[in-house]
C-alpha cells in the first residue's frame, strides 16, 4: 500500500512538473516613470490575485527598482510597505546633515552657506557629473533590499532579472545581469545631468530610459513566450505648456524616452499584453502621488483581466511556483544574520583606511541589519571626503565579507566655497557681504588642509590657514593662521562710526577629543588701529601678543533653526597690549571713550552656548553669551557687541559695544511647513523670543538692574543657501526694529 501511495505521489509530481514546464513562460516588463512607479505594484497585486506566474522580470529606472524587489523574492505586500515608507524625496539631496559633520566642517559650512560644488585641479575648474551625487538615492535602495550579497548572475534570483541602463559614452543600452543589485537599480535610474552617473565594470551608466524605457526585447531574449508590458511613461506636453526653457528640455527628454518605447511596442505580438495605467496627469517627481498611482495600476490590470487570466494557472501549480520562489529567496534572506568575518575597504581616495573603518564602526563577529549598514554608510559619508560610499557583501563558508567602496569627489581635491549675506532694516541701513574660500585638501600625507579666504562688503577679510594633523587618526593637529581684517561699527546716537583694521596671526596645537569637539592651546599676535569717522578724533594704534585656550563642542543639527543638539565654546585669552594714540582724551570724552595708552596686560574670557530641544513641531532654544576683560587700565580694544536678531532684537546689529557682555534668550519656534497648503515640506518657522542683556565699560559694574529686555516675532526658513528670516524686534526704552536677513548664520 505504501509503495502504491509513493508511486501515485511521484506520478502526480511528475505531472505537475510537466505542466509547469509545458506552459508558456511569462515575462514582465516595467517601464520608467519616477514617482508613478507604484503603479507597477498595483499590476503585481492583480497578477498574484489571479495566479499569474512571472518567469522573467525586466525594468528600467523606477521599473528596475520594483522589478528588482520582486525578483529578490519580496511579496507584493512587502514591496508596497517598503516603497510607501521610504523618504523618496530625500533622494533629491545629498547634503550631509549638519549634526553628522565633524567640528571643523560644521564651522566651515556655517560660514559658506551657498551649496555650490566647484573644484579646481589640473589647470581646470571641475563640477560633479550631476546636480545630485546619488548617495541618498543609493541608501534608499539599500534600505529597500537589505544587506543582500553580490550575485554572479541575476538568473540566480527568485525570478531571473535584468536592469536596463545607458552607457553615456557610447549612447548604447547596457543590460545589467549580475553584481550588486542596488548599484544596478541606481544606474538604471541615474537621470543624466541630475544624478551622477554610476560606474560599473568600467562603463559610465545613466538612466536606461534614454535607450530603452520599456525593454520588451530584453525579456524576449531571456526566454519569455508571452510579455506583459506596463507603460508609465510621461505624455508629451501641449503647446500651451511649453512656456519655458525647462519645459522645452523636459519635452525633449520625454520625446527621447517615448521614442524608445514606441520602437519596443512594435515587438509585441498578438498574445502579448500592454497595460497603460491612466497616470498621464501625475507628476514623475512628486512622490505624494504614489498611493494614487498604485490604485491606477491596479485598475488598469483589472480592466485587462480577460486577457491576463488566460495566463493563470491552477492553485496547485501557483503554490508550487511560489514555493520555488521562496526557497530560492531563503538562500540570501536566511543568510542575512551571518556574522561579519572580514571587512575589505576598496578606497578610491587619500583618506586613511584606518579612519574609514573607525567611522564605519562595524566590528568583526557582528551581525548587521540593513538599518545598521545604513548608519555605518552615513558615518563614513559624513567625513565629507567622498562622492559616493556603498557596500557589498560576499558570503563564504566562514561567514560574511563586507566590502566597503569609497569614491573620492570627482571635482576635488581642491574646492571653492561661497557665502552670501544680506541684512536690512527697511530704513537707511542695509548690509551685504560676499565671501569665498579656496580649500586645498590632502596636501600632506596625513591629510593637511590649506584654507584661503576672502570676504568683501560691509566688513573685509583676507586670510590663509594651514591645518596639519599630526597622526594617522587625525586626532592631534597644529593650526597656523594669518589674516588681515576690517571690522566696522556703524554710527549710532552715542558714538561715531568706528573702523578697526588689523593684521593677526595664531599658531595653535589642538586635540579632536570627539567628533563634535576640539581643545586648542596656542599663541597669537595682532597689530592694528581704530579709526573714528569724526574730524575731531584721530586713530588709536595697538599691538597685542599673548596666548589662548579654547574648548569647543558642537552637535546642533542647524546653526540657524536648530531642533536638537548643543553648541558651546569657551575661550580664555591672555595678552600684552601696546598702545599709541593720536587721540586726546578731551577729544574722545564727548563720545564716551577712554583712550588706551602705554602698556596693558589683559585677560579676556568668552563663553557662548546655544541648545535646542524639539518636541514634534515645537522647539525650545536657549542662548547664552558672556564676555569680560580684566586688565590694568581704563580701556581695551578687545570688545564685544550686542544688537541684531536674537542678540537684543530691538536694536540694530552691533549697536552696543563694551568689554563686558551678558546676554541670554529663550526662543520658541513652531514649524508651520507641514500645514501650509501645497507646501513642499520645507520647514517654515514661526518664532518668538524673550531676551535680556547689556554691555558695560571696563570700569563699570555689571548690574542686573542695567539689563535691557528685548524680544522678537519672526517667520523664517532654513534653505540650502542659509536662513531667510523676516520679523520685528523690540526692546525696553522704546527701541524697535523691522528686519530681513538672507544667508546670515545667526
Amino acid at each position: 500500500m505504501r509503495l502504491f501511495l509513493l508511486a501515485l505521489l511521484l506520478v502526480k509530481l511528475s505531472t505537475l512538473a510537466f505542466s509547469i514546464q509545458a506552459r508558456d513562460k511569462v515575462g514582465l516588463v516595467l517601464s520608467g516613470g519616477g514617482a508613478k512607479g507604484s503603479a507597477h505594484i498595483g499590476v503585481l497585486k492583480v497578477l498574484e490575485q489571479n495566479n499569474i506566474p512571472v518567469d522573467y522580470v525586466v525594468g528600467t529606472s523606477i521599473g528596475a527598482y520594483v522589478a528588482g524587489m520582486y525578483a529578490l523574492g519580496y511579496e507584493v505586500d512587502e514591496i508596497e510597505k517598503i516603497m510607501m515608507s521610504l523618504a523618496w524625496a530625500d533622494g533629491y539631496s545629498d547634503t550631509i546633515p549638519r549634526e553628522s559633520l565633524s567640528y571643523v566642517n560644521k564651522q566651515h559650512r556655517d560660514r559658506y552657506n551657498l551649496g555650490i560644488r566647484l573644484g579646481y585641479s589640473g589647470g581646470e575648474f571641475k563640477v560633479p557629473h550631476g546636480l545630485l551625487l546619488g548617495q541618498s538615492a543609493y541608501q534608499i535602495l539599500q534600505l529597500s533590499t537589505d544587506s543582500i550579497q553580490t550575485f554572479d548572475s541575476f538568473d540566480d534570483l527568485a525570478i531571473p532579472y535584468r536592469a536596463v541602463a545607458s552607457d553615456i559614452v557610447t549612447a548604447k543600452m547596457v543590460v545589467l545581469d549580475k553584481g550588486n543589485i542596488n548599484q544596478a537599480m541606481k544606474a538604471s535610474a541615474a537621470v543624466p545631468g541630475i544624478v551622477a552617473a554610476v560606474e560599473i565594470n568600467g562603463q559610465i551608466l545613466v538612466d536606461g530610459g534614454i535607450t530603452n524605457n520599456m525593454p520588451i526585447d530584453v525579456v524576449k531574449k531571456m526566454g519569455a513566450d508571452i510579455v506583459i508590458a506596463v507603460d508609465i511613461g510621461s505624455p508629451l506636453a501641449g503647446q500651451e505648456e511649453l512656456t519655458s526653457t525647462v519645459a522645452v528640455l523636459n519635452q525633449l527628454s520625454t520625446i527621447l524616452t517615448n521614442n524608445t518605447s514606441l520602437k519596443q511596442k512594435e515587438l509585441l505580438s498578438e498574445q502579448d499584453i500592454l497595460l497603460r495605467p491612466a497616470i498621464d496627469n501625475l507628476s514623475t517627481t512628486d512622490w505624494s502621488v504614489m498611493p494614487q498611482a498604485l490604485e491606477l495600476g491596479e485598475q488598469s490590470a483589472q480592466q485587462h483581466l480577460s486577457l491576463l487570466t488566460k495566463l493563470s494557472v491552477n492553485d496547485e501549480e501557483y503554490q508550487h511556483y511560489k514555493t520555488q520562489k521562496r526557497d530560492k529567496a531563503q538562500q540570501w534572506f536566511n543568510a542575512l544574520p551571518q556574522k561579519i568575518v572580514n571587512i575589505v575597504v576598496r578606497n578610491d581616495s587619500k583618506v586613511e583606511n584606518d579612519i574609514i573603518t573607525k567611522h564605519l564602526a562595524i566590528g568583526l563577529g557582528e551581525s548587521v541589519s540593513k538599518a545598521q549598514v545604513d548608519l555605518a554608510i552615513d558615518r563614513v559619508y559624513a567625513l565629507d571626503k567622498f562622492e559616493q560610499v556603498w557596500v557589498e557583501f560576499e558570503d563564504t563558508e566562514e561567514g560574511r565579507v563586507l566590502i566597503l567602496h569609497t569614491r573620492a569627489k570627482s571635482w576635488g581635491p581642491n574646492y571653492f566655497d561661497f557665502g552670501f549675506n544680506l541684512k536690512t532694516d527697511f530704513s537707511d541701513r542695509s548690509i551685504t557681504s560676499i565671501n569665498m574660500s579656496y580649500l586645498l585638501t590632502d596636501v600632506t600625507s596625513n591629510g593637511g588642509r590649506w584654507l584661503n579666504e576672502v570676504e568683501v562688503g560691509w566688513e573685509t577679510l583676507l586670510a590663509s590657514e594651514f591645518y596639519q594633523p599630526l597622526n594617522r587618526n587625525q586626532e592631534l593637529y597644529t593650526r597656523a593662521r594669518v589674516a588681515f581684517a576690517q571690522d566696522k561699527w556703524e554710527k549710532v546716537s552715542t558714538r561715531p562710526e568706528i573702523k578697526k583694521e588689523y593684521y593677526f596671526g595664531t599658531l595653535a596645537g589642538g586635540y579632536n577629543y570627539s567628533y563634535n569637539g576640539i581643545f586648542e592651546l596656542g599663541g597669537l599676535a595682532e597689530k592694528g588701529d581704530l579709526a573714528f569717522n569724526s574730524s575731531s578724533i584721530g586713530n588709536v594704534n595697538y599691538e597685542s601678543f599673548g596666548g589662548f585656550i579654547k574648548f569647543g563642542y558642537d552637535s546642533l543639527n542647524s546653526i540657524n533653526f536648530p531642533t536638537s543638539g548643543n553648541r558651546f565654546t569657551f575661550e580664555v585669552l591672555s595678552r600684552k597690549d601696546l598702545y599709541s594714540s593720536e587721540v586726546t582724551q578731551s577729544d574722545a570724552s564727548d563720545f564716551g571713550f577712554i583712550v588706551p595708552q602705554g602698556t596693558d596686560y589683559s585677560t579676556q574670557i568668552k563663553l557662548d552656548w546655544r541648545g535646542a530641544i524639539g518636541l514634534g513641531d515645537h522647539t525650545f532654544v536657549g542662548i547664552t553669551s558672556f564676555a569680560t576683560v580684566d586688565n590694568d587700565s581704563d580701556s581695551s580694544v578687545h570688545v564685544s557687541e550686542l544688537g541684531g536678531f536674537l542678540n537684543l532684537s530691538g536694536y540694530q546689529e552691533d549697536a552696543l559695544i563694551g568689554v563686558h557682555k551678558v546676554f541670554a534668550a529663550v526662543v520658541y519656534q513652531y514649524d508651520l511647513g507641514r500645514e501650509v497648503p501645497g507646501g513642499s515640506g520645507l520647514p517654515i518657522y514661526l518664532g518668538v523670543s524673550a531676551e535680556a542683556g547689556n554691555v558695560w565699560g571696563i570700569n563699570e559694574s555689571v548690574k542686573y538692574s542695567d539689563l535691557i529686555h528685548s524680544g522678537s516675532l519672526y517667520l523664517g526658513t532654513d534653505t540650502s543657501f542659509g536662513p531667510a528670516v523676516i520679523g520685528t524686534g523690540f526692546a525696553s526704552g522704546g527701541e524697535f526694529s523691522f528686519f530681513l536677513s538672507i544667508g546670515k548664520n545667526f
Side-chain angles (χ1 to χ4, degrees), residues 354-381:
D354 291 346
I355 295 175
I356 293 173
T357 54
K358 175 183 176 181
H359 285 82
L360 184 69
I362 292 178
L364 298 181
E366 295 183 12
S367 299
V368 293
S369 66
K370 60 183 178 182
Q372 290 173 311
V373 172
D374 186 60
L375 289 174
I377 293 172
D378 275 342
R379 287 191 295 268
V380 175
Y381 188 63

Side-chain angles (χ1 to χ4, degrees), residues 111-112 434-436 452-464 481-487 502 504:
R111 182 166 176 78
Y112 299 98
I434 300 172
N435 54 334
M436 180 186 76
N452 299 278
E453 301 177 280
V454 60
E455 178 176 348
V456 295
W458 174 248
E459 297 182 336
T460 302
L461 174 72
L462 184 63
S464 184
R481 181 178 179 86
V482 294
F484 167 77
Q486 182 188 84
D487 299 337
Y502 57 103
F504 71 92

Side-chain angles (χ1 to χ4, degrees), residues 708-723:
I708 300 170
H709 299 279
S710 183
S712 67
L713 179 66
Y714 62 89
L715 193 67
T717 186
D718 211 351
T719 71
S720 59
F721 54 84

Side-chain angles (χ1 to χ4, degrees), residues 38-93:
S38 56
H40 295 318
I41 298 176
V43 172
L44 287 173
K45 281 188 170 185
V46 174
L47 297 184
E48 290 205 344
Q49 291 165 2
N50 291 276
N51 289 4
I52 300 171
V54 174
D55 302 289
Y56 309 100
V57 61
V58 180
T60 296
S61 196
I62 192 67
Y65 167 81
V66 177
M69 294 287 287
Y70 199 55
L72 280 168
Y74 284 97
E75 300 290 338
V76 174
D77 290 343
E78 291 179 304
I79 300 174
E80 178 182 359
K81 182 178 179 180
I82 292 170
M83 191 170 181
M84 295 300 180
S85 65
L86 292 173
W88 290 94
D90 290 351
Y92 294 140
S93 173

Side-chain angles (χ1 to χ4, degrees), residues 398-604:
E398 293 77 19
R400 171 158 283 197
V401 177
L402 185 153
I403 304 170
L404 176 69
H405 297 263
T406 64
R407 179 171 299 155
K409 295 178 179 179
S410 59
W411 65 100
N414 306 323
Y415 309 96
F416 286 97
D417 291 297
F418 303 89
F420 169 77
N421 171 223
L422 169 65
K423 292 176 290 183
T424 180
D425 60 7
F426 296 99
S427 58
D428 58 350
R429 189 170 191 264
S430 294
I431 295 175
T432 304
S433 64
I434 300 172
N435 54 334
M436 180 186 76
S437 74
Y438 180 51
L439 176 64
L440 292 80
T441 66
D442 297 319
V443 295
T444 64
S445 58
N446 273 1
R449 299 159 38 121
W450 185 14
L451 175 66
N452 299 278
E453 301 177 280
V454 60
E455 178 176 348
V456 295
W458 174 248
E459 297 182 336
T460 302
L461 174 72
L462 184 63
S464 184
E465 177 178 295
F466 192 79
Y467 180 95
Q468 175 60 55
L470 298 178
N471 51 359
R472 291 184 64 184
N473 61 18
Q474 300 188 358
E475 290 179 344
L476 298 174
Y477 64 88
T478 59
R479 182 175 63 87
R481 181 178 179 86
V482 294
F484 167 77
Q486 182 188 84
D487 299 337
K488 288 183 181 179
W489 296 282
E490 193 174 47
K491 179 179 180 179
V492 296
S493 59
T494 58
R495 65 160 194 263
E497 181 181 290
I498 306 172
K499 181 170 64 176
K500 179 182 177 182
E501 292 186 349
Y502 57 103
Y503 298 88
F504 71 92
T506 57
L507 180 62
Y511 172 50
N512 293 303
Y513 66 87
S514 79
Y515 194 64
N516 291 323
I518 62 153
F519 175 80
E520 279 190 357
L521 177 66
L524 57 85
E526 185 175 323
K527 181 177 181 178
D529 64 74
L530 289 176
F532 299 86
N533 187 18
S534 172
S535 59
S536 63
I537 302 180
N539 292 356
V540 176
N541 304 306
Y542 71 94
E543 296 179 8
S544 293
F545 308 93
F548 69 92
I549 297 173
K550 179 178 180 180
F551 173 86
Y553 178 84
D554 191 345
S555 62
L556 283 182
N557 63 344
S558 168
I559 190 63
N560 311 303
F561 303 104
T563 58
S564 66
N566 290 274
R567 185 174 188 257
F568 177 81
T569 58
F570 176 72
E571 287 185 90
V572 178
L573 304 97
S574 179
R575 302 182 178 95
K576 177 182 179 181
D577 299 320
L578 305 175
Y579 294 106
S580 62
S581 176
E582 304 170 1
V583 185
T584 67
Q585 186 58 59
S586 60
D587 289 336
S589 60
D590 292 338
F591 299 97
F593 289 103
I594 298 176
V595 179
Q597 297 285 356
T599 302
D600 188 19
Y601 295 90
S602 65
T603 300
Q604 184 178 26

